[in-house]
Amino acid sequence: MPIPTALDLTRDVVTLTADLCDIASVSTQERALADAVEAALLTLPHLDVIRDGNVVVARTELGRSERVVLAGHLDTVPLTDPPNIPVRRVDGTLVGRGTTDMKGGVAVQLALAARVPSPSRDVTFIFYDCEEIEEEFNGLKRIGEQQPDLLDAEFAVLLEPTNGGIEGGCKGTLRVDVVTKGISAHSARPWNGHNAIHDAGDVLARLTAYEPATVHVDGLDYHEALNAVGIRGGIAGNVIPDVCTVSVNYRFAPDKSAEEALAHVQQVFSGFDVTLGDCAIGARPGLDQPAAQAFVEALGLPVVAKEGWTDVARFAALDIPAVNFGPGDPNLAHTDDERCPEQQIEDALAALTRWLA
Amino acid sequence: MPIPTALDLTRDVVTLTADLCDIASVSTQERALADAVEAALLTLPHLDVIRDGNVVVARTELGRSERVVLAGHLDTVPLTDPPNIPVRRVDGTLVGRGTTDMKGGVAVQLALAARVPSPSRDVTFIFYDCEEIEEEFNGLKRIGEQQPDLLDAEFAVLLEPTNGGIEGGCKGTLRVDVVTKGISAHSARPWNGHNAIHDAGDVLARLTAYEPATVHVDGLDYHEALNAVGIRGGIAGNVIPDVCTVSVNYRFAPDKSAEEALAHVQQVFSGFDVTLGDCAIGARPGLDQPAAQAFVEALGLPVVAKEGWTDVARFAALDIPAVNFGPGDPNLAHTDDERCPEQQIEDALAALTRWLA
């Protein structure tokens, strides 16, 4: 086992972000960073530290009336070629892999753990692995399934980049294949067959005519969407195609269950063969509940709905309202140009300190 | 060079068909069969024999007022596994690779060459290679381009399988890609993009609404057809697609040029980006001309339009009217179950003998 690179949690949060980035942690290769995070947290006597694979959980046990979760993932997408770490500081911006997605957020978590030993509510810090790859490897998913008590709380904050704003909950996502069946024939004699691609025209017509709803949930507006994300059909240039498959993605408000979302899509495509691909429900922001209201009030920042699906939904699955709040522009995530304004990292730490101190 | 397997043209035409089938001649591997055909024809003093690659041409030079072509290809699609040659005779049916497509027709050509030394019109027999693979390898195409005089005639018969009926001319075929362009975006925020697959709905709607023409040419009805034969679009399950391509096949009557066919398709899809793939014009049956009329009268068989494109179009390109007439069910061509009623082979020989004797 390699000797962990030591992290000094007393350094300023921007330098701490840089230190975290400089320990490469591409998905499935998070061990060195998880070791460093665990070792640093173990130096803080007010925290109970639990290690499970490459997930590190640290909890205060102060007997507060409320518990909140602050969660962030340790992994990054693959390094650039050549690697852009160690990160550089350029005109007040931190440049390099992980600066936006999401070691700025992880640095804020660690700084809070070190600097707020007696928070106003009990805090569970969760650092997890494999967020950037197939869901089956996701560390937060695994803990939620195997040790859901570790996630238990009145409220959760996921420190994914939101450009410093608060994005509440998230929409769900469902994928189906809408399939038309025909009869193949030589294309010189199409009357001997039936064209499945032509039949898909009605599927596309329904998508074009579809008017997506805007749904108000717990004080936020979620904009639903129904889109073809793929279409395929055809056997050869001289053959009437016997099957055409339209892959459709429904992004639905967090007031709907998976069953309700599927029923809606089945209704839109009634008369067609609809096959469920995958589905992940959304997350309610819970802004009607005291824990969330206290958070928003303490931060004093505007709140909008999170349109994309994020791991906040794993808390929603446990009936824990959750929001996204973290430094960095999400549009720069995964790009070779990944970078984060240093001020956003400092501001995020200051905002969460206002809430927890 | 291997010693050619000898062919005995005096054997009955069904046995001759079997002998031809038993010399395997998968496309590009026709040499042994071309050698055998050439050697057999060279024994017939009334014919001039020309060899060019694996094409064999044999001509009478009797000074008749009219010349006709009888053409057939020597190659077959790949053998079955295990091979179903040597062919078997089962209840009056010849079973095995090549029996339908089209060594029955080749046997009829060879039998006519041997048995009708003084035909009523001069005859050019053409045996060619590589009909079953990419057009660039087609022996008839090559001869038509390099030595068109060898194809010169008032009328041509292609002995491809027609189940013993006469199929006049053929339709043309044109392929285009109709492309829609959009703007990619995350499917949770589709308002940042534009869905190219949705736009393809109008392409499919025009195809569904399209009413193909039936066009009367030289006494036959050709049924046109316009069909999507392929569609593809999509980047990932969470991305609004930025491009969608519909591949469309137009089968058009032989009264149209390639330019006219393309102009028609461009008109149908006006407003869309239409890219020409390939195009092959059809062939007029020429049933209004004396040479064709004499053929139909001599055979005494019904005539219908050929819907699929065949090599008769290579004669049409030289302004030679042409028909398809040969033993075997075209629906069995290329199948592992390829077979041909022996009677059809004998009937085809008898019919053409009535015409040429």
Side-chain angles (χ1 to χ4, degrees), chain A residues 171 173 175 186-191 195 197-202 204-205 207-208 223-241 244 246-247 249 251 306-309 331, chain B residues 171 173 175 186-191 195 197-202 204-205 207-208 223-241 244 246-247 249 251 306-309 331:
Chain A
K171 287 192 297 203
T173 178
R175 265 179 288 268
H186 196 291
S187 65
R189 294 178 290 274
W191 48 85
N195 195 314
I197 293 178
H198 292 195
D199 283 356
D202 184 26
L204 301 187
L207 284 165
T208 304
H223 303 91
E224 295 199 337
L226 186 70
N227 272 276
V229 290
I231 190 167
R232 61 186 183 280
I235 299 167
N238 60 352
V239 179
I240 300 298
C244 183
V246 187
S247 297
N249 185 208
R251 298 284 176 154
K306 182 70 174 181
E307 302 289 0
W309 192 92
N331 294 318
Chain B
K171 288 192 296 202
T173 179
R175 265 179 287 267
H186 196 292
S187 64
R189 294 178 289 275
W191 47 85
N195 195 314
I197 293 178
H198 292 193
D199 283 357
D202 185 24
L204 301 187
L207 284 166
T208 304
H223 304 91
E224 295 198 338
L226 186 70
N227 273 276
V229 289
I231 190 166
R232 61 186 183 280
I235 298 167
N238 59 353
V239 179
I240 299 298
C244 183
V246 186
S247 297
N249 185 208
R251 299 283 175 154
K306 181 73 173 181
E307 303 289 358
W309 192 91
N331 293 319

Side-chain angles (χ1 to χ4, degrees), chain A residues 170-294:
Chain A
C170 75
K171 287 192 297 203
T173 178
L174 173 143
R175 265 179 288 268
V176 296
D177 279 348
V178 185
V179 178
T180 59
K181 297 271 173 63
I183 301 168
S184 65
H186 196 291
S187 65
R189 294 178 290 274
W191 48 85
N192 292 332
H194 183 87
N195 195 314
I197 293 178
H198 292 195
D199 283 356
D202 184 26
V203 176
L204 301 187
R206 294 190 198 186
L207 284 165
T208 304
Y210 183 80
E211 296 197 2
T214 295
V215 184
H216 200 71
V217 182
D218 297 353
L220 298 181
D221 281 335
Y222 292 87
H223 303 91
E224 295 199 337
L226 186 70
N227 272 276
V229 290
I231 190 167
R232 61 186 183 280
I235 299 167
N238 60 352
V239 179
I240 300 298
D242 62 348
V243 62
C244 183
T245 302
V246 187
S247 297
V248 173
N249 185 208
Y250 178 38
R251 298 284 176 154
F252 55 96
D255 65 328
K256 289 187 182 61
S257 67
E259 293 70 27
E260 287 166 339
L262 178 59
H264 178 70
V265 170
Q266 286 171 327
Q267 184 187 16
V268 170
F269 298 111
S270 65
F272 288 98
D273 175 9
V274 175
T275 306
L276 178 62
D278 53 16
C279 181
I281 60 167
R284 298 184 76 107
L287 297 182
D288 53 346
Q289 294 178 36
Q293 285 169 351

Side-chain angles (χ1 to χ4, degrees), chain A:
Chain A
M1 202 165 97
I3 297 163
T5 305
L7 288 172
D8 179 354
L9 303 190
T10 66
R11 301 182 85 174
D12 76 275
V13 69
V14 173
T15 305
L16 181 56
T17 301
D19 291 345
L20 290 166
C21 292
D22 293 348
I23 304 173
S25 58
V26 175
S27 305
T28 75
Q29 298 160 47
E30 298 95 340
R31 172 171 287 192
L33 183 57
D35 287 348
V37 167
E38 180 190 13
L41 292 169
L42 283 170
T43 67
L44 302 172
H46 64 284
L47 293 175
D48 286 348
V49 179
I50 300 133
R51 174 74 180 256
D52 183 315
N54 285 330
V55 174
V56 183
V57 178
R59 300 160 53 99
T60 64
E61 295 287 359
L62 302 168
R64 304 286 195 241
S65 60
E66 183 180 285
R67 174 173 291 280
V68 297
V69 164
L70 274 74
H73 62 83
L74 296 173
D75 60 321
T76 69
V77 295
L79 300 183
T80 56
D81 180 18
N84 59 3
I85 56 171
V87 298
R88 291 174 299 129
R89 300 178 76 148
V90 182
D91 297 335
T93 300
L94 214 50
V95 179
R97 177 61 75 227
T99 50
T100 280
D101 191 8
M102 55 163 281
K103 293 187 177 174
V106 172
V108 170
Q109 288 177 272
L110 289 171
L112 286 166
R115 297 182 194 184
V116 189
S118 184
S120 56
R121 51 270 290 164
D122 271 312
V123 181
T124 303
F125 297 97
I126 303 178
F127 306 88
Y128 62 101
D129 58 335
C130 293
E131 191 272 345
E132 298 290 6
I133 56 173
E134 292 77 6
E135 183 183 64
E136 63 187 294
F137 302 104
N138 186 297
L140 186 62
K141 176 174 190 283
R142 178 166 54 83
I143 297 297
E145 289 167 357
Q146 296 177 356
Q147 303 187 65
D149 289 354
L150 283 183
L151 270 52
D152 195 33
E154 273 70 43
F155 183 62
V157 180
L158 186 67
L159 283 93
E160 287 270 14
T162 57
N163 239 339
I166 304 172
E167 297 184 347
C170 75
K171 287 192 297 203
T173 178
L174 173 143
R175 265 179 288 268
V176 296
D177 279 348
V178 185
V179 178
T180 59
K181 297 271 173 63
I183 301 168
S184 65
H186 196 291
S187 65
R189 294 178 290 274
W191 48 85
N192 292 332
H194 183 87
N195 195 314
I197 293 178
H198 292 195
D199 283 356
D202 184 26
V203 176
L204 301 187
R206 294 190 198 186
L207 284 165
T208 304
Y210 183 80
E211 296 197 2
T214 295
V215 184
H216 200 71
V217 182
D218 297 353
L220 298 181
D221 281 335
Y222 292 87
H223 303 91
E224 295 199 337
L226 186 70
N227 272 276
V229 290
I231 190 167
R232 61 186 183 280
I235 299 167
N238 60 352
V239 179
I240 300 298
D242 62 348
V243 62
C244 183
T245 302
V246 187
S247 297
V248 173
N249 185 208
Y250 178 38
R251 298 284 176 154
F252 55 96
D255 65 328
K256 289 187 182 61
S257 67
E259 293 70 27
E260 287 166 339
L262 178 59
H264 178 70
V265 170
Q266 286 171 327
Q267 184 187 16
V268 170
F269 298 111
S270 65
F272 288 98
D273 175 9
V274 175
T275 306
L276 178 62
D278 53 16
C279 181
I281 60 167
R284 298 184 76 107
L287 297 182
D288 53 346
Q289 294 178 36
Q293 285 169 351
F295 174 83
V296 172
E297 198 172 309
L299 268 63
L301 293 169
V303 188
V304 297
K306 182 70 174 181
E307 302 289 0
W309 192 92
T310 75
D311 269 345
V312 294
R314 303 196 192 282
F315 295 102
L318 301 170
D319 269 333
I320 305 169
V323 299
N324 306 270
F325 172 71
D329 179 352
N331 294 318
L332 293 175
H334 304 192
T335 70
D336 286 359
D337 195 35
E338 191 171 348
R339 58 182 63 222
C340 185
E342 297 174 7
Q343 190 65 48
Q344 280 198 2
I345 304 172
E346 290 163 359
D347 288 351
L349 176 59
L352 292 174
T353 302
R354 283 198 299 278
W355 175 48
L356 292 179

Side-chain angles (χ1 to χ4, degrees), chain B residues 222-291:
Chain B
Y222 293 87
H223 304 91
E224 295 198 338
L226 186 70
N227 273 276
V229 289
I231 190 166
R232 61 186 183 280
I235 298 167
N238 59 353
V239 179
I240 299 298
D242 62 350
V243 62
C244 183
T245 302
V246 186
S247 297
V248 174
N249 185 208
Y250 179 38
R251 299 283 175 154
F252 56 96
D255 64 328
K256 289 188 183 61
S257 68
E259 293 71 27
E260 288 166 338
L262 179 58
H264 177 71
V265 171
Q266 286 171 327
Q267 186 188 14
V268 171
F269 298 110
S270 65
F272 288 98
D273 176 8
V274 176
T275 307
L276 179 61
D278 52 16
C279 181
I281 60 167
R284 299 184 75 107
L287 296 182
D288 53 346
Q289 295 178 35

Side-chain angles (χ1 to χ4, degrees), chain B residues 188-221:
Chain B
R189 294 178 289 275
W191 47 85
N192 292 332
H194 184 87
N195 195 314
I197 293 178
H198 292 193
D199 283 357
D202 185 24
V203 176
L204 301 187
R206 294 190 198 187
L207 284 166
T208 304
Y210 184 81
E211 296 198 0
T214 296
V215 184
H216 200 71
V217 182
D218 298 353
L220 298 181
D221 282 336

